């Protein structure tokens, strides 16, 4: 019994030692300090496959910055840190387990916090992804990215990169220096999914918090938890210990199925968003109208409602050739055509279930090919 009791105390002492907060137990205060013990190394990650390394799929990691490359002053800093500090080679070197699922190479495309992304950043990144996807020696691509605009970049790539190869977006909510950092497992999952044949032809994916989401549907709905990314239509599946578990597949057009191609897009026309709320003045809409926008996305209340004092302002711009797209500030549901507003009569477009920031990107890509509002509405139904 004693042996067993000692064993239990030993185990709890080891656990406390490992956790760095060992408190003296009866034995350690009465006798010599508990002997230092070698903490068993974490069990090697079960390789997703027993393939020889040279035959594993080749995954390219394109790093752009964000928290997954962030660093805080102490392990207790899970939310206060500097984003976009750790270079891609250090990120990959810190995760040797990647070698069990893929042959990985890395490129530092940018080193920025994602709230600072511009249209030019999107075009540069999409061109590099497209170039790599065309290379026979590349089996999958991972993009490490800040979480703030990860959904926008992922949706944009989903629209314009013509490939069936897996493209996986990944970020983290905590820097790698923090207790219970989420970036390492998120990155391992992303590379594992990007190396998987069963992830092909599913459009651009996002791996966060063990889930596999589609870039089209997912958005950052919580700004300070690791379970930050949600889709109202649910994840496509989960990835656990290097294995994918799929439960649904996308139905909207994407990647190789898209009519849009980054190879034919040199610039994105100006499309901006106005946010609606009680007492909103027409100032922003008027200023945007004078700035030469090609479309305005109206982030309306409820089902895309527009205040009665704002309707004539939007009609004025429509008459000048500016496209008007009704989205909603409400994160779930979808905007119904001709419900809150007579869209047929006003010749407006509805964004369906796309949030304002994604509606902006689809409108910008579509306006590079058409300015016909009925064609624009067809595009919003299809993507
Ligand atoms: N500055 C934010 C960004 O780069 C940090 C958030 C994150 O990456 O998780 O998106």
């Amino acid at each position: 019994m004693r042996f067993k009791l000692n064993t239990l105390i030993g185990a709890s002492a080891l656990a406390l030692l490992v956790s760095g907060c060992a408190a003296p137990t009866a034995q350690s205060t009465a006798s010599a300090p508990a002997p230092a013990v070698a903490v068993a190394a974490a069990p090697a990650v079960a390789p997703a496959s027993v393939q020889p390394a040279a035959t594993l799929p080749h995954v390219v990691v394109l790093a752009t910055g964000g928290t997954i490359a962030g660093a805080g002053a102490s392990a207790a800093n899970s939310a206060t840190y500097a984003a976009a500090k750790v270079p891609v080679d250090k990120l990959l070197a810190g995760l040797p387990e990647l070698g069990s699922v893929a042959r990985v190479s890395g490129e530092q495309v940018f080193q920025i916090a994602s709230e600072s992304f511009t249209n030019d950043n999107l075009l540069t990144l999409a061109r590099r992804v497209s170039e790599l996807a065309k290379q026979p020696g590349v089996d999958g691509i991972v993009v490490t990215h800040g979480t703030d605009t990860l959904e926008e970049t992922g949706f944009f790539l989903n629209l314009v990169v013509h490939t069936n190869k897996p493209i996986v977006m990944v970020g983290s909510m905590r820097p790698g220096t923090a207790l219970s950092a989420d970036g390492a497992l998120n990155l391992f999952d992303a590379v594992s999914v990007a190396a998987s044949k069963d992830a092909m032809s599913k459009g651009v994916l996002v791996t966060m918090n063990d889930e596999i989401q589609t870039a089209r549907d997912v958005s950052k709905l919580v700004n300070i938890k690791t379970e930050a990314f949600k889709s109202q239509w649910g994840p496509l599946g989960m990835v656990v210990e290097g294995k994918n578990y799929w439960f649904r597949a996308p139905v909207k057009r994407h990647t190789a199925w898209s009519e849009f191609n980054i190879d034919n897009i040199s610039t994105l026309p100006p499309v901006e968003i106005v946010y609606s709320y009680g007492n909103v003045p027409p100032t922003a809409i008027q200023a945007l109208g004078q700035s030469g926008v090609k479309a305005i996305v109206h982030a309306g209340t409820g089902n895309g409602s527009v205040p009665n004092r704002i309707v004539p302002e939007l009609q004025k711009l429509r008459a000048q050739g500016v496209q008007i797209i009704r989205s909603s500030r409400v994160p779930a549901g979808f905007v119904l055509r001709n419900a809150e507003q007579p869209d047929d009569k006003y010749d407006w477009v509805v964004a369906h279930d796309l949030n304002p920031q994604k509606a902006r990107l689809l409108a910008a890509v579509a306006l590079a090919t058409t300015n016909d509002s009925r064609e624009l509405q067809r595009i919003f139904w299809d993507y």
Side-chain angles (χ1 to χ4, degrees):
M1 183 60 173
R2 185 174 167 65
F3 172 76
K4 185 165 173 51
L5 185 58
N6 280 346
T7 306
L8 283 177
I9 288 170
S12 60
L14 171 61
L16 291 174
L17 274 173
V18 166
S19 68
C21 53
T25 59
Q27 284 77 345
S28 59
T29 48
S31 57
V37 288
V39 174
V45 172
S49 69
V50 289
Q51 282 176 269
T55 66
L56 285 172
H58 177 208
V59 171
V60 179
V61 176
L62 297 179
T64 71
T67 298
I68 196 166
S74 85
N77 288 124
S78 60
T80 307
Y81 55 84
K85 293 295 176 199
V86 180
V88 65
D89 52 339
K90 277 190 76 177
L91 276 182
L92 300 181
L95 205 48
E97 294 79 3
L98 294 176
S100 70
V101 292
R103 287 176 294 123
V104 182
S105 57
E107 291 180 18
Q108 194 77 45
V109 184
F110 313 117
Q111 186 67 296
I112 54 177
S114 72
E115 65 270 21
S116 301
F117 253 63
T118 64
N119 285 352
D120 285 345
N121 292 133
L122 288 177
L123 293 168
T124 301
L125 179 61
R127 287 182 188 122
R128 188 56 187 145
V129 171
S130 179
E131 283 166 11
L132 287 167
K134 291 186 176 99
Q135 294 179 15
V138 172
D139 299 296
I141 296 162
V142 167
V143 177
T144 63
H145 195 288
T147 58
D148 285 9
T149 62
L150 187 149
E151 67 201 72
E152 297 176 48
T153 301
F155 182 57
F156 182 71
L157 297 176
N158 201 52
L159 292 174
V160 302
V161 176
H162 272 229
T163 184
N164 287 317
K165 293 179 182 176
I167 301 171
V168 186
M169 302 288 299
V170 66
S172 73
M173 294 301 289
R174 296 174 181 154
T177 49
L179 292 172
S180 300
D182 56 329
L185 183 56
N186 286 353
L187 180 54
F188 177 81
D189 288 346
V191 170
S192 166
V193 170
S196 309
K197 286 198 183 319
D198 63 13
M200 293 182 70
S201 304
K202 289 190 167 70
V204 175
L205 304 170
V206 177
T207 56
M208 292 287 287
N209 197 45
D210 306 326
E211 291 182 335
I212 308 172
Q213 298 272 7
T214 166
R216 182 206 180 270
D217 297 347
V218 79
S219 58
K220 184 176 180 180
L221 291 185
V222 183
N223 61 13
I224 203 157
K225 288 167 67 175
T226 52
E227 189 178 4
F229 281 76
K230 295 284 176 192
S231 151
Q232 66 175 324
W233 313 123
L236 297 182
M238 284 189 73
V239 47
V240 182
E241 295 185 2
K243 184 168 170 39
N244 307 329
Y245 298 86
W246 303 102
F247 299 98
R248 65 187 189 88
V251 295
K252 298 289 187 178
R253 293 178 67 171
H254 59 73
T255 56
W257 185 19
S258 173
E259 65 201 272
F260 308 112
N261 190 326
I262 187 61
D263 297 348
N264 310 322
I265 299 174
S266 56
T267 182
L268 291 174
V271 177
E272 306 305 344
I273 302 169
V274 292
Y275 194 86
S276 191
Y277 50 91
N279 198 52
V280 62
T283 317
I285 291 171
Q286 291 163 347
L288 286 172
Q290 288 155 21
S291 73
V293 286
K294 298 300 180 195
I296 282 184
V297 175
H298 182 269
T301 52
N303 194 248
S305 308
V306 181
N308 52 20
R309 62 185 176 281
I310 298 295
V311 170
E313 298 294 337
L314 295 177
Q315 287 177 305
K316 244 183 268 171
L317 290 180
R318 185 70 198 102
Q320 294 166 17
V322 176
Q323 294 290 348
I324 305 300
I325 296 146
R326 286 197 305 119
S327 179
S328 172
R329 70 182 202 181
V330 175
F334 60 83
V335 176
L336 207 57
R337 188 171 174 83
N338 294 317
E340 284 291 346
Q341 301 295 331
D343 299 296
D344 290 352
K345 178 181 168 196
Y346 291 168
D347 193 24
W348 291 356
V349 174
V350 293
H352 203 28
D353 67 326
L354 291 181
N355 63 27
Q357 53 270 30
K358 289 183 178 179
R360 178 187 84 86
L361 290 166
L362 180 54
V365 167
L367 287 168
T369 60
T370 180
N371 195 25
D372 176 290
S373 55
R374 281 160 304 176
E375 182 60 358
L376 204 52
Q377 184 65 77
R378 189 273 302 168
I379 288 167
F380 270 87
W381 296 143
D382 285 354
Y383 289 86

